[in-house]
């Protein structure tokens, strides 16, 4: 016999697999509830609706829209364009929009004083929206970074962000926005004590009806880059924001921050960013049971939209899946740049 044949391993022919089903003896079969669309709808634990959406919009001076290159499909809009989108939001049953300004460089200074100008870009936009679409909610950001020449959310002394001096300016900014007609003041600066100071000032000035949505757990995240492009602070930012925004490694600290903001009078709390911090959203909702919001930030949007435009993922499915994840974690609402797109989808299937 040939030596190679003698040494070759013997291979057993398995043939066709048997199709006889083993006797599993199962009484409980979870797949029964997943076998048809109507059954999946009946047992669905979390649902997404237009009631969950807040649409962030960027406003710019002038009459022409400008693309935000790092956020495909998103533009900075002039005031009239924002009013048009507010009407669109109303027609899509989106409850509220959130405004963020691109401030011209000539108006920026170290203390961000344009923030307290009663005729600044955001105030004029709020008044225009209220005149044209009075039944849409308007959330206004309270922070100095769109207005400072150094790109930080506070007043600086050398390299140090001054907390209490910054809070004084934030209070003045909140009062300016409330006077313009803002429905919700949303302090995003992460200075200590600013929620209580703003609440007291609003109440004393006769704006007790104005709500506060506190950015209660805002992390020093790498996912904010496209947003900073949109508001123009990327080019001006000196250093980073780790002395006031939270360390991404911390979870218990978020619970402390939320507790403080609620004690100081916050009506709603927000976690930012969103998807990388679903655990924080869950803990906050489970611990406090208060209206809890998530911000699906610019970097999250850009990753999904960029991958979809390259054909790497199904954009619509990824969009909806990401938003449902917030609901599953316990969020009552979501700030998302996908708001008009998902609202149109939801309205189409009603």
């Amino acid at each position: 016999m040939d030596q190679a044949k003698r040494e070759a391993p013997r291979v057993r022919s398995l043939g066709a697999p048997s199709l006889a089903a083993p006797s599993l003896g199962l009484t409980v079969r979870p797949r029964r509830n997943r076998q048809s669309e109507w059954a999946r709808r009946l047992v669905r634990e979390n649902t997404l609706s237009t009631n969950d959406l807040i649409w962030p919009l960027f406003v710019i001076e002038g009459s022409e829209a400008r693309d935000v290159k790092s956020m495909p499909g998103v533009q900075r809009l002039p005031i009239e364009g924002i009013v048009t989108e507010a009407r669109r939001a109303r027609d899509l049953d989106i409850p509220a929009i959130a405004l963020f300004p691109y401030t011209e460089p000539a108006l920026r200074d170290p203390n961000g004083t344009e923030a307290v100008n009663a005729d600044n870009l955001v105030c004029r936009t709020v008044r225009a929206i209220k005149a044209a679409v009075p039944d849409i909610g308007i959330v206004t950001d309270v922070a100095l970074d769109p207005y400072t020449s150094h790109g930080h959310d506070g007043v600086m002394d050398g390299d140090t962000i001054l907390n209490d001096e910054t809070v004084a300016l934030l209070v003045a900014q909140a009062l300016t926005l409330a006077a313009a007609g803002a429905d919700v003041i949303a302090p995003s600066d992460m200075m200590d004590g600013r929620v209580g100071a703003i609440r007291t000032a609003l109440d004393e000035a006769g704006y007790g009806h104005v709500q506060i949505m506190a950015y209660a757990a805002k992390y020093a995240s790498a996912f904010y880059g496209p947003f900073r492009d949109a508001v123009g602070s990327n080019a001006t930012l000196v250093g980073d924001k780790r002395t006031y925004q939270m360390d991404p490694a911390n979870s218990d600290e978020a619970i402390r921050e939320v507790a403080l903001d609620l004690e100081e009078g916050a009506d709603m709390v927000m976690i930012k960013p969103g998807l990388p911090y679903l655990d924080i959203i869950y803990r906050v909702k489970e611990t406090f049971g208060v209206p809890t919001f998530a911000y699906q930030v610019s970097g999250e949007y850009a990753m999904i939209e960029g991958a979809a435009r390259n054909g790497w993922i199904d954009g619509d499915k990824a969009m909806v899946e990401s938003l449902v994840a917030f609901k599953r974690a316990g969020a009552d609402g979501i700030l998302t740049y996908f708001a008009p797109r998902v609202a149109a989808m939801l309205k189409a299937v009603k």
Side-chain angles (χ1 to χ4, degrees):
M1 182 183 293
D2 183 87
Q3 181 69 19
K5 288 183 178 179
R6 284 201 307 270
E7 294 179 358
R10 298 178 66 188
V11 178
R12 179 171 170 243
S13 177
L14 297 177
S18 171
L19 297 181
S23 178
L24 298 178
L26 297 179
T27 300
V28 178
R29 289 183 178 268
R31 285 188 59 195
R32 280 193 287 261
N33 286 340
R34 302 197 291 264
Q35 63 188 347
S36 61
E37 176 60 18
W38 65 261
R40 291 191 293 271
R41 288 172 57 198
L42 284 176
V43 300
R44 189 163 289 149
E45 297 172 30
N46 296 283
T47 57
L48 181 69
S49 81
T50 55
N51 296 332
D52 300 317
L53 304 174
I54 298 174
W55 184 8
L57 291 165
F58 298 108
V59 60
I60 193 168
E61 293 283 7
S63 58
E64 295 184 4
R66 299 186 203 171
D67 292 338
V68 180
K69 293 182 179 179
S70 54
M71 298 177 69
V74 173
Q75 292 183 309
R76 305 182 191 99
L77 297 169
I79 293 176
E80 189 51 47
I82 295 289
V83 172
T84 297
E85 296 296 60
R87 291 192 180 100
R88 183 181 171 203
R90 178 198 60 198
D91 294 343
L92 288 170
D93 297 325
I94 296 172
I97 59 177
L99 298 177
F100 299 94
Y102 176 89
T103 305
E104 295 298 330
L107 295 175
R108 301 174 189 235
D109 63 32
N111 292 337
T113 51
E114 179 66 11
V116 301
N117 176 4
D119 202 37
N120 67 24
L121 180 59
V122 173
C123 290
R124 284 182 280 124
T125 306
V126 170
R127 290 193 289 267
I129 295 168
K130 282 300 178 185
V133 198
D135 49 347
I136 197 83
I138 303 177
V139 181
T140 51
D141 182 51
V142 169
L144 299 182
D145 55 325
Y147 304 100
T148 55
S149 52
H150 46 68
H152 277 285
D153 297 53
V155 178
M156 298 186 73
D157 181 9
D159 294 332
T160 301
I161 306 296
L162 301 176
N163 190 94
D164 296 8
E165 291 83 350
T166 296
V167 169
L169 280 171
L170 297 174
V171 167
Q173 183 184 14
L175 290 171
T176 300
L177 292 166
D183 300 296
V184 181
I185 299 298
S188 64
D189 55 284
M190 290 300 289
M191 297 296 128
D192 294 339
R194 89 277 203 213
V195 171
I198 290 171
R199 182 73 272 163
T200 297
L202 289 173
D203 291 349
E204 290 178 350
Y207 299 116
H209 60 285
V210 174
Q211 297 160 270
I212 295 178
M213 176 188 285
Y215 287 63
K218 181 179 179 180
Y219 286 83
S221 173
F223 289 91
Y224 301 149
F227 176 93
R228 290 174 183 165
D229 283 343
V231 300
S233 63
N234 245 353
T236 60
L237 181 60
V238 178
D240 57 52
K241 302 189 177 188
R242 289 180 293 176
T243 66
Y244 48 101
Q245 294 178 357
M246 287 178 53
D247 186 334
N250 292 355
S251 176
D252 292 342
E253 183 184 15
I255 303 304
R256 289 183 57 209
E257 288 280 8
V258 171
L260 286 168
D261 283 358
L262 291 172
E263 289 172 9
E264 292 176 18
D267 302 289
M268 301 167 275
V269 295
M270 188 200 299
I271 291 82
K272 181 181 180 181
L275 287 177
Y277 298 90
L278 292 177
D279 60 317
I280 307 301
I281 298 168
Y282 178 82
R283 285 193 65 185
V284 168
K285 188 64 177 179
E286 285 291 298
T287 302
F288 300 103
V290 298
T292 302
F293 291 77
Y295 199 141
Q296 186 178 47
V297 299
S298 58
E300 298 172 62
Y301 169 87
M303 288 193 300
I304 294 172
E305 188 65 11
R309 291 188 179 215
N310 277 286
W312 300 332
I313 60 173
D314 184 313
D316 284 347
K317 288 182 179 178
M319 170 186 69
V320 173
E321 184 177 341
S322 69
L323 296 174
V324 169
F326 293 118
K327 296 295 293 179
R328 193 179 65 246
D332 297 289
I334 309 143
L335 284 83
T336 176
Y337 304 96
F338 288 121
R341 185 161 134 202
V342 74
M345 289 175 59
L346 291 168
K347 195 170 183 181
V349 298
K350 281 186 178 180

